[in-house]
Amino acid sequence: MTGHGNVLFSPDDVRALRRHLENGGFLHADDNYGMDVSIRRELRKVFPDRELADVPYSHAIYHAVYDFPAGPPKIHEHDGLPAQGLGLFIGNRLAVYYTYQSDLGDGWEDPDVHHDPEPVRESAIRMVVNLFTVAVGANS
């Protein structure tokens, strides 16, 4: 999921997402500049007993196929803050991966939308390959 605005989960959404994640599912949320406050609030509804935490750079999400030794790539600059990869873990399994200040989704869009240079777009695409690899591995 990605976006700019307010994320709001209904009580049914909260139950369904929790069930999905507890049964091996995976969620990637990409703050495309503007949903940080609401996604954090809504994830607390899903898992009130867990906090988003930095995903260690040694985690497979950064090395599954392509290496990202310093975490998620920075696609767009907004506030001068570094890109962060935050997660919610169920046991040792990464169930939710939240990219903040990265804007991965922008790098996946048509090149005419943001006019990102090819190496920037390539890094976003490589990161999504890692995301899919980890997500599928979590469910196999």
Side-chain angles (χ1 to χ4, degrees), residues 2-7 30-36 38 78 103 106 109 114:
T2 186
H4 298 277
N6 192 34
V7 175
D30 181 48
D31 176 27
N32 205 355
Y33 199 66
M35 71 177 214
D36 183 59
S38 63
H78 294 290
D103 289 333
D106 287 350
E109 293 188 58
H114 297 288

Side-chain angles (χ1 to χ4, degrees), residues 20-135:
H20 168 73
L21 296 169
E22 286 178 336
N23 286 295
F26 182 82
L27 171 68
H28 171 234
D30 181 48
D31 176 27
N32 205 355
Y33 199 66
M35 71 177 214
D36 183 59
V37 170
S38 63
I39 191 64
R40 288 173 189 262
R41 177 193 67 228
E42 296 306 293
L43 288 173
R44 275 192 299 276
K45 290 180 185 176
V46 177
F47 290 109
D49 58 331
R50 291 184 172 86
E51 291 289 327
L52 284 166
D54 287 319
V55 175
Y57 295 155
S58 60
H59 192 277
I61 203 98
Y62 302 124
H63 308 284
V65 177
Y66 297 103
D67 268 333
F68 291 92
K74 182 82 167 177
I75 305 306
H76 284 153
E77 184 61 55
H78 294 290
D79 296 331
L81 299 173
Q84 286 184 279
L86 304 167
L88 289 175
F89 290 83
I90 298 176
N92 291 329
R93 183 180 63 83
L94 180 62
V96 176
Y97 181 66
Y98 171 48
T99 44
Y100 176 61
Q101 291 286 332
S102 175
D103 289 333
L104 286 175
D106 287 350
W108 305 331
E109 293 188 58
D110 187 282
D112 294 334
V113 174
H114 297 288
H115 306 286
D116 291 321
E118 189 59 32
V120 170
R121 293 184 72 250
E122 183 72 21
S123 68
I125 291 167
R126 287 178 177 209
M127 187 67 205
V128 79
V129 169
N130 281 12
L131 289 168
F132 282 125
T133 301
V134 168

